[in-house]
Amino acid sequence: MSEHWARPKVRASPPAWIAIDCTNFAGLSHLDEELTAEAASLVRASVAPASARAFRGDIAQFLAWGGALPSSPAKIASYIADHASVHAVATIQRRVASISKAHEMAGHPNPCRSETVKATLRGLRRVKGTTQRQAKPLLRDDLFLALDVMGDRVRDHRDRVLLLLGFAGGFRRSELVALSVNDLQPVREGLVVTIRRSKTDQEGAGRRIGVPLGRTRHCPVKALESWFATAMIVDGPVFRPITRHGSVGGERLTGDAVSSLVRERVAAAGIDAEGYSGHSLRAGFATSAAQAGVSTLKIRAQTGHATDAMLARYIRDGELFVGNAAGALL
């Protein structure tokens, strides 16, 4: 193969002291000296934009509920109880963490550190449990069913490579939509993909993942070449929106669009799409690899998970029927 590609929801407004362009979120609002513009810029860069948005949204929601800053342990406990039947445990815990940080940033005593709030959270976890809803894994055989019913339209070419590359690389949806042409290097064995930044790599150290040439009828590398040739992409974003008339846009596809795409393609194959999302490709790769007997070390090398513990839920699900004791008896 050639070494070069051929050319072919509304949130309430946050309080004034949590400004988008200030250093408060980094916890430096107490500094007596005024930071230089360059230093302030670096401080802002220390926090991921998504984390800053989540923080501001959490505080705005707390204030809209009737909370105040500063607040009391009893008020925080009431807030937790009022939302226990509405939100997941993880969501409430994240919001309490944001409220805690807001107090510390403003120099107020932190009510979230009180035993009252800690006991309320423990009770919440005991009553509701802590199991988080997980994306249903798109396993190899079901992935092939979805691919087999695709046609030859422009959108089919894009969706085919997105599903294959997302599965083969064990990528998050955010990693997929962030890919640019210069992040992909064709090699004799297949493709080297450079992930420049990810959820667990906010400092942008980057990592390189090998995607080998496929041995089956569905090869991610060949699908990528077909997509580039069909859409005449030579640089910029790899995955882009497509109009209903088949015109390819220049901007990046969104993460939400990836989730919708996965569900649509699964449903088209006659599979119930309930529970599938953009994360289903990553979960499906890890689960399918575990079922095939691939070592956790090799799976982690592809997915980027730091430890076996982080892979545990995929491995457990994938090995439920491997050497199952009941299988020897029934």
Side-chain angles (χ1 to χ4, degrees):
M1 183 174 60
S2 171
E3 294 294 316
H4 300 283
W5 299 113
R7 289 184 175 270
K9 300 171 184 175
V10 177
R11 292 185 183 274
S13 299
W17 57 272
I18 309 180
I20 293 176
D21 59 349
C22 73
T23 59
N24 282 340
F25 185 69
L28 299 181
S29 59
H30 62 280
L31 290 179
D32 294 328
E33 282 187 83
E34 183 178 350
L35 292 175
T36 64
E38 292 80 4
S41 176
L42 292 175
V43 170
R44 288 194 295 270
S46 71
V47 180
S51 298
R53 287 194 299 271
F55 172 80
R56 291 193 298 269
D58 290 343
I59 297 305
Q61 194 275 343
F62 173 64
L63 296 178
W65 167 81
L69 296 172
S71 193
S72 67
K75 192 72 169 179
I76 305 300
S78 295
Y79 174 77
I80 295 170
D82 279 359
H83 292 82
S85 61
V86 180
H87 297 296
V89 173
T91 299
I92 296 174
Q93 289 183 144
R94 190 201 70 214
R95 288 181 173 173
V96 171
S98 293
I99 296 168
S100 173
K101 188 168 186 65
H103 279 80
E104 294 185 350
M105 285 161 43
H108 298 310
N110 190 346
C112 301
R113 294 185 180 275
S114 70
E115 184 55 32
T116 298
V117 173
K118 291 179 180 178
T120 306
L121 286 172
R122 286 198 298 270
L124 175 70
R125 289 190 290 266
R126 285 179 64 87
V127 170
K128 294 195 66 176
T130 57
T131 300
Q132 296 187 18
R133 185 175 60 183
Q134 298 176 9
K136 190 173 182 178
L138 182 56
L139 301 178
R140 174 185 179 272
D141 290 347
D142 289 337
L143 169 67
F144 281 13
L145 285 176
L147 294 169
D148 285 339
V149 298
M150 288 188 186
D152 197 40
R153 300 171 303 165
V154 175
R155 189 160 178 248
D156 293 321
H157 284 278
R158 182 201 65 186
D159 293 2
R160 182 178 291 108
V161 66
L162 189 148
L163 294 178
L164 279 168
L165 194 61
F167 181 89
F171 295 129
R172 300 177 177 89
R173 67 178 191 176
S174 59
E175 294 169 344
L176 275 175
V177 298
L179 287 176
S180 295
V181 174
N182 60 3
D183 296 326
L184 310 176
Q185 178 188 357
V187 293
R188 181 180 303 170
E189 299 87 351
L191 185 71
V192 176
V193 181
T194 299
I195 299 297
R196 302 194 182 278
R197 191 182 297 273
S198 68
K199 177 181 178 181
T200 55
D201 178 25
Q202 293 297 325
E203 295 184 1
R207 62 189 183 93
R208 287 156 62 86
I209 300 97
V211 176
L213 290 166
R215 295 179 299 142
T216 69
R217 62 188 181 279
H218 297 299
C219 172
V221 180
K222 291 180 180 178
L224 185 66
E225 291 176 332
S226 295
W227 162 235
F228 280 174
T230 300
M232 295 185 289
I233 294 175
V234 295
D235 55 24
V238 173
F239 298 112
R240 313 176 183 205
I242 299 172
T243 69
R244 59 195 181 103
H245 301 296
S247 298
V248 180
E251 65 274 21
R252 294 185 185 278
L253 204 63
T254 66
D256 287 342
V258 172
S259 293
S260 298
L261 182 158
V262 170
R263 286 191 291 269
E264 179 185 341
R265 292 301 186 175
V266 165
I271 302 169
D272 183 1
E274 181 67 29
Y276 287 97
S277 72
H279 194 73
S280 294
L281 298 173
R282 178 175 171 84
F285 166 79
T287 305
S288 297
Q291 291 176 340
V294 179
S295 71
T296 56
L297 180 63
K298 289 296 185 181
I299 297 175
R300 288 197 289 112
Q302 201 77 347
T303 63
H305 284 101
T307 65
D308 284 353
M310 297 175 70
L311 263 182
R313 64 177 182 266
Y314 302 130
I315 303 305
R316 283 197 300 267
D317 290 347
E319 295 183 341
L320 284 176
F321 297 96
V322 177
N324 189 294
L329 305 174
L330 300 175

